[in-house]
Amino acid sequence: MSQRHFGFSAATSVLIANMVGTGVFTSLGFQALDLHTGGALLSLWVVGGVTALCGAVAYAELGALLPRSGGEFVYLGKAWHPVAGFLGGWVSMTVGFAAPIALSSMAFGRYLSAIVPVNPQVASLAMLVVVVGVHLAGLKAAKRFQVAITSTQLLLVSAFIVAGMLYATPVSLPMGWGNGEAVWEIFSAPYAVSLVYVSFAFTGWNAAGYIAGEIVEPERTIPRSVVASTLLVTVLYLLLNLAFLRTVPLAEVAGKVEVGALSATAMFGGRGGQVMSGIIAAVLVASVSSMVIGSSRVTHAVAESLPQWRVLGARSADGVPRNAILAQGALIVVLLLTNSFEAVMLYAGFTLNLMSLLTVLGMMRLRHTARDEPRPYHAWGYPVTPLVYVALSVWALTTSLVQRPVASLSGLATVVVGLGIWFVAARKAV
């Protein structure tokens, strides 16, 4: 019986909800600590969107060539070596989904606590339990929930953008183009580090690869959903950050996590700010839901490759990888209880960017090592688009390694731990 359940709308919903989440509502505060012009801050989202789109068309080619669930686990294993595939899956399991879900849950708790007197951490844990419960219930319930909540998510974000654009008394925003300050900031080290935050906000454009084995007509659906979702989210991000900058002075944004709540309060007052905080909390629920779908499928794919972990790879009779969902939920709870917000965001952004870079390079390698295999989709603009992605990613990663060594080295340490697990498992299998 076919396990392919996700059509274009469902797949696109998963991608959009994977992207639109914690990063866009929180990272502006960290960027504004070192960048002080509207021109530089807004250009980050354009550059981030271009980077994501260049990576997305490369992933679309891989997804159509290798229409199996697992994402980087499948792509890196095919392009480089099984150990590279395991490392891609390991990073996805431990960082790629667990960290963003934990961050979205943390942010949900903070936004909800602005509305009702509830402990943010308790709210975070309660929301996670509800979402995991929905996905344990079955594929039909999960799909309907995802499409419905993503549609609501887009309507709410659009409403926020419209309110920001119509805000009657916008604050002063120095763009910095006339005096060249914005240009100087764009070529600075803080700008490259900020791109890591932005890349985290765009994390999710590659999510189709994690559920490729469950997508209907993957050769057609994956490229269409990847490109459409990335373009739409880029426009939303640019307009949403413009709305933030029109409503809250840069000095007040700098260093703050709840940027969306600050903007809502400025536009609508205390009561209106509470309403918009509730809206943002709903958006974060959609993000967590979509990432639970992807994370469990990656865990399932990686676990199937290791005899010692096959219990995590088991699917129930209805096709739901319940053991993988429960394992991911347990890891997320640990992160919720132990980690801080900014450190996790930079750590996750660096590590995920590194694996995506290796995957795009792997796509280029497969053009030579697997040139005779049928390719239902060819990356648009090849080889320029993947090279643009590689260049911007290398710039952001190397600068982050110099400027934020602790978070960056923590990401590299995660990869090394995964490498050790692989070799131990490989020796036991002999």
Side-chain angles (χ1 to χ4, degrees):
M1 182 178 177
S2 174
Q3 293 294 313
R4 299 193 182 275
H5 312 276
F6 291 92
F8 174 76
S9 60
T12 303
S13 295
V14 170
L15 266 69
I16 291 172
N18 261 272
M19 285 186 272
V20 181
T22 317
V24 72
F25 288 107
T26 57
S27 61
L28 180 62
F30 302 126
Q31 297 158 14
L33 286 170
D34 297 307
L35 302 176
H36 309 293
T37 65
L41 288 168
L42 291 173
S43 72
L44 277 169
W45 299 97
V46 176
V47 174
V50 170
T51 305
L53 186 60
C54 289
V57 295
Y59 269 69
E61 177 172 322
L62 288 169
L65 175 67
L66 305 165
R68 303 190 299 276
S69 296
E72 284 86 359
F73 171 72
V74 174
Y75 305 152
L76 290 172
K78 174 72 172 179
W80 300 105
H81 187 275
V83 68
F86 175 80
L87 290 177
W90 166 254
V91 167
S92 293
M93 289 166 57
T94 56
V95 181
F97 287 103
I101 291 173
L103 288 172
S104 291
S105 300
M106 288 180 201
F108 170 86
R110 295 193 188 189
Y111 277 107
L112 189 65
S113 65
I115 309 168
V116 294
V118 62
N119 181 287
Q121 191 173 67
V122 172
S124 301
L125 291 168
M127 184 269 285
L128 180 63
V129 169
V130 169
V131 172
V132 168
V134 169
H135 288 283
L136 288 173
L139 285 168
K140 287 186 178 180
K143 281 194 302 178
R144 289 171 182 167
F145 178 74
Q146 190 60 55
V147 172
I149 203 166
T150 302
S151 301
T152 305
Q153 178 189 47
L154 291 177
L155 288 173
L156 297 177
V157 170
S158 299
F160 202 110
I161 290 170
V162 171
M165 294 301 103
L166 296 179
Y167 187 57
T169 54
V171 301
S172 175
L173 177 62
M175 296 302 292
W177 297 119
N179 58 11
E181 185 178 357
V183 176
W184 181 86
E185 287 188 338
I186 286 172
F187 290 97
S188 67
Y191 189 90
V193 173
S194 292
L195 276 178
V196 176
Y197 292 121
V198 172
S199 72
F200 175 80
F202 274 99
T203 296
W205 51 261
N206 56 348
Y210 303 124
I211 59 171
E214 298 173 61
I215 292 179
V216 178
E217 296 184 278
E219 297 82 2
R220 294 179 63 251
T221 303
I222 290 177
R224 289 170 58 214
S225 59
V226 164
V227 173
S229 59
T230 304
L231 286 173
L232 176 61
V233 169
T234 299
V235 173
L236 288 176
Y237 277 3
L238 181 61
L239 293 176
L240 190 57
N241 278 274
L242 179 57
F244 291 155
L245 293 171
R246 276 175 54 85
T247 54
V248 185
L250 270 178
E252 294 182 24
V253 169
K256 300 295 196 307
V257 172
E258 300 89 348
V259 176
L262 290 174
S263 179
T265 301
M267 288 189 286
F268 308 112
R271 180 67 66 181
Q274 288 183 329
V275 172
M276 293 306 288
S277 292
I279 288 172
I280 294 169
V283 169
L284 293 171
V285 173
S287 177
V288 169
S289 173
S290 64
M291 287 188 286
V292 167
I293 293 174
S295 66
S296 61
R297 273 60 179 179
V298 173
T299 302
H300 164 78
V302 175
E304 277 194 324
S305 71
L306 295 176
Q308 300 92 336
W309 290 10
R310 278 186 183 156
V311 65
L312 295 180
R315 283 184 185 266
S316 303
D318 58 0
V320 179
R322 287 188 171 84
N323 291 343
I325 292 175
L326 291 171
Q328 276 288 311
L331 178 57
I332 295 160
V333 168
V334 172
L335 290 172
L336 278 173
L337 297 175
T338 59
N339 282 297
S340 65
F341 200 94
E342 183 182 5
V344 174
M345 181 178 285
L346 190 57
Y347 158 71
F350 178 91
T351 314
L352 296 176
N353 206 346
L354 175 62
M355 301 316 294
S356 295
L357 170 63
L358 294 175
T359 304
V360 172
L361 288 171
M363 184 277 285
M364 300 180 74
R365 184 171 188 266
L366 284 174
R367 281 286 185 106
H368 300 283
T369 60
R371 65 179 67 202
D372 295 328
E373 295 190 25
R375 281 177 171 73
Y377 173 80
H378 290 75
W380 176 84
Y382 183 90
V384 175
T385 47
L387 288 175
V388 167
Y389 183 86
V390 168
L392 290 171
S393 295
V394 168
W395 179 43
L397 289 170
T398 53
T399 306
S400 178
L401 193 58
V402 174
Q403 298 288 320
R404 301 288 193 276
V406 174
S408 302
L409 291 173
S410 296
L412 293 176
T414 301
V415 177
V416 172
V417 170
L419 193 63
I421 291 173
W422 164 267
F423 282 117
V424 169
R427 290 181 64 182
K428 286 184 177 180
V430 174

